[in-house]
């Protein structure tokens, strides 16, 4: 059985939502891109600068599953333009006050805006896609592009006018809010939210909490590496390459750009080799890649940054689908943890990396990141491919007949179309 292709009107909605996703996820990458400017203009220590990254990532990561629970109970399409504006205003205000407390507060507001956008936008995109995995991939790609664009935008604005020019960073938010409004006008949303995990509304299968928690431990290792590099790679690239501001911005851009490539590659590789195998190999290859970033000087740093980006991003969407299949009765919880709470651990580690850099050197502080993908691989060795959703639905119903969800090779399910 094949997925239903979205009609032209829904295709327009998806394109608008994808563009709004670009605009909003600019603010996911903007805070880390601002760190070098906070250090140079305000003489922050590494620990103080990483605290700003923590304020944004922690609030966003904790709030995202909460917003997900809310939007599972009640549709809130108005959240899309409001959250886009909230994220942009928070980042735009970050450069205006010399107060560290005020800066922390406004970037935290930006993090909440980002958190509010994603669960509801994903729900609306799912409705507009009519079960098309290609269409949902387009929506996800928009976020990756926004993340990658952030360091270029921040550098262009702040390098020209200093932190006082930060209000100009609100422009993507204004565009994103307008795109959200336009998208909502072109998609037909149901009056209520109803979610079921199998045909006939019956919960399918049993939750495998030990496997889910083990995988979450690996995701935490990935999170610490990614957030740690996001916070300090720009500064480190300047030191290691002997370049200026552009050298740091380029390194951060390469790290984020891998999200667009890795997300697409992860799905295709999993189709051919299986999710668990692809995730394990990704963690394995990330070990020498991170070692190259930390230890190899000169322009080769960019090559190792690209390899690190691929290693970190290829398993990203696979973590989510694996988590949902390990917890078929708690799909919302699985998504909230894999996308939200585990990311906050990476934010919590950033101040520790910053404090170590202040006490020793940035290279010494980043060196422990090399070991974390190896630890993640050790955790993943014990995991099995979860039972596929259609098999669990069959077990729950006691028969192989009747309508049920169509699986894709990554373990996602697509509702069967009914006339």
């Amino acid at each position: 059985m094949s997925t239903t292709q979205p009609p032209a009107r829904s295709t327009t909605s998806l394109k608008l939502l994808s563009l709004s996703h670009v605009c909003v996820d600019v603010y996911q990458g903007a805070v880390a891109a601002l760190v070098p400017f906070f250090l140079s203009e305000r003489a922050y220590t590494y620990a103080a600068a990483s605290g700003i990254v923590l304020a944004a990532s922690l609030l966003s990561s904790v709030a995202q599953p909460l917003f997900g629970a809310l939007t599972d109970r009640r549709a809130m399409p108005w959240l899309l333009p409001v959250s886009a504006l909230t994220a942009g205003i928070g980042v735009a205000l970050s450069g205006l006050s010399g107060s560290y407390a005020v800066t922390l507060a406004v970037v935290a507001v930006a993090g909440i805006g980002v958190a509010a956008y994603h669960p509801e936008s994903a729900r609306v995109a799912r409705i507009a896609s009519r079960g098309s995995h290609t269409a949902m991939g387009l929506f996800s790609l928009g976020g990756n592009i926004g993340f990658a664009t952030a360091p270029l935008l921040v550098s262009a604005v702040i390098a020209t006018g200093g932190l006082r020019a930060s209000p100009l960073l609100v422009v993507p938010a204004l565009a994103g809010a307008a795109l959200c409004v336009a998208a909502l006008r072109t998609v037909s949303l149901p009056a209520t939210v109803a979610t079921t995990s199998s045909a006939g509304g019956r919960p399918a299968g049993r939750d495998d909490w030990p496997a889910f928690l083990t995988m979450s431990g690996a995701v935490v290792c990935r999170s610490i590496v990614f957030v740690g590099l996001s916070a300090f790679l720009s500064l480190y690239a300047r030191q290691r390459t002997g370049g200026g501001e552009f050298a740091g911005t380029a390194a951060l851009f390469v790290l984020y750009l891998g999200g667009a490539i890795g997300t697409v590659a992860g799905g295709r590789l999993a189709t051919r080799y299986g999710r668990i195998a692809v995730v394990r190999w990704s963690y394995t290859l990330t070990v020498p890649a991170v070692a190259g970033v930390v230890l190899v000087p000169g322009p080769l740093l960019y090559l190792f940054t690209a390899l690190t980006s691929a290693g970190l991003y290829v398993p990203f969407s696979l973590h989510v689908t694996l988590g949902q299949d390990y917890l078929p009765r708690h799909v919302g919880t699985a998504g909230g943890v894999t996308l939200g709470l585990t990311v906050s651990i990476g934010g919590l580690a950033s101040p520790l990396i910053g404090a170590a850099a202040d006490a020793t050197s940035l290279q010494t502080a980043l060196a422990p990141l090399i070991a974390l993908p190896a630890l993640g691989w050790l955790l993943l060795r014990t995991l099995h491919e979860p039972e596929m959703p259609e098999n669990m639905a069959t077990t729950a119903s006691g028969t192989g007949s009747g309508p049920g969800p169509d699986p894709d090779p990554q373990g996602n399910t697509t509702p069967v179309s009914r006339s």
Side-chain angles (χ1 to χ4, degrees):
M1 287 179 284
S2 61
T3 61
T4 302
Q5 292 302 316
R9 186 177 174 87
S10 293
T11 300
T12 300
S13 301
L14 278 163
K15 290 178 180 178
L16 293 170
L17 281 170
S18 299
L19 290 173
S20 76
H21 202 183
V22 174
C23 296
V24 173
D25 273 18
V26 162
Y27 300 109
Q28 289 225 74
V31 176
L34 283 166
V35 165
F37 299 99
F38 286 132
L39 286 168
S40 60
E41 289 195 29
R42 297 182 182 174
Y44 286 167
T45 63
Y46 287 127
S50 60
I52 294 173
V53 177
L54 171 63
S57 64
L58 180 60
L59 265 264
S60 180
S61 300
V62 173
Q64 188 160 313
L66 298 179
F67 279 110
L70 287 174
T71 55
D72 279 341
R73 293 173 177 269
R74 176 176 298 179
M76 299 181 179
W78 55 267
L79 265 181
L80 298 187
V82 171
S83 59
L85 289 173
T86 302
I89 290 171
V91 170
L93 295 176
S94 64
L96 296 184
S97 174
S99 167
Y100 184 70
V102 171
T103 303
L104 286 178
V106 295
V107 298
V109 167
I112 292 174
V114 169
Y117 172 84
H118 283 94
E120 183 67 0
S121 65
R123 184 186 73 86
V124 175
R126 180 67 178 173
I127 293 169
S129 74
R130 302 288 185 90
S132 167
H133 302 301
T134 302
M136 284 300 291
L138 175 66
F139 173 73
S140 300
L141 183 61
N144 298 143
I145 293 173
F147 219 115
T149 304
L152 302 179
L153 176 65
V154 169
S155 181
V157 172
I158 306 301
T160 302
L163 286 173
R164 287 287 175 181
S166 66
L168 293 175
L169 295 175
V170 79
V171 172
L174 298 175
L179 288 164
C180 288
V181 171
L184 292 173
R185 288 178 175 175
T186 58
V187 65
S188 298
L189 299 177
T192 59
V193 176
T195 57
T196 59
S197 53
S198 74
R202 294 182 299 272
R206 291 180 297 177
D207 290 339
D208 188 346
W209 282 99
F212 177 76
L213 293 174
T214 299
M215 189 199 70
S216 295
V219 177
V220 167
C221 294
R222 178 228 179 248
S223 171
I224 294 173
V225 175
F226 180 75
V227 177
L229 288 178
S230 295
F232 297 108
L233 181 62
S234 180
L235 295 165
Y236 193 61
R238 296 185 194 186
Q239 295 178 9
R240 300 295 284 176
T241 64
E245 209 166 79
F246 176 79
T249 299
L252 204 56
F253 175 73
V254 170
L255 179 68
Y256 291 165
L257 183 64
I261 300 171
T263 299
V264 174
R268 294 185 176 182
L269 290 170
T271 299
R272 183 168 183 177
Y273 300 108
R275 288 175 294 179
I276 292 293
V278 171
V279 170
R280 285 174 181 162
W281 274 108
S282 297
Y283 277 71
T284 301
L285 296 175
T286 303
V287 176
V290 175
V293 171
V294 175
L295 302 175
V296 177
L300 281 177
L301 177 139
Y302 295 103
L303 171 62
F304 286 109
T305 298
L307 294 174
T308 298
S309 180
L312 293 174
Y313 269 112
V314 162
F316 183 74
S317 64
L318 307 181
H319 290 147
V320 180
T321 61
L322 282 167
Q324 291 172 337
D325 288 346
Y326 284 134
L327 300 184
R329 294 174 180 264
H330 295 85
V331 172
T333 298
V337 170
T338 51
L339 288 172
L341 290 178
T342 49
V343 178
S344 69
I345 303 298
L348 286 171
S350 291
L352 299 178
I353 297 172
D358 288 331
T360 56
S361 68
L362 194 50
Q363 183 180 42
T364 301
L366 293 175
L369 299 183
I370 300 171
L372 288 173
L375 176 58
W377 177 83
L378 288 173
L379 291 170
L380 292 166
R381 282 191 65 201
T382 65
L383 293 184
H384 60 279
E385 188 75 28
E387 188 175 0
M388 297 303 288
E390 76 276 16
N391 295 332
M392 294 187 290
T394 300
T395 301
S397 63
T399 177
S401 63
D406 281 345
D408 74 1
Q410 298 180 45
N412 298 314
T413 60
T414 302
V416 175
S417 303
R418 292 176 173 85
S419 58

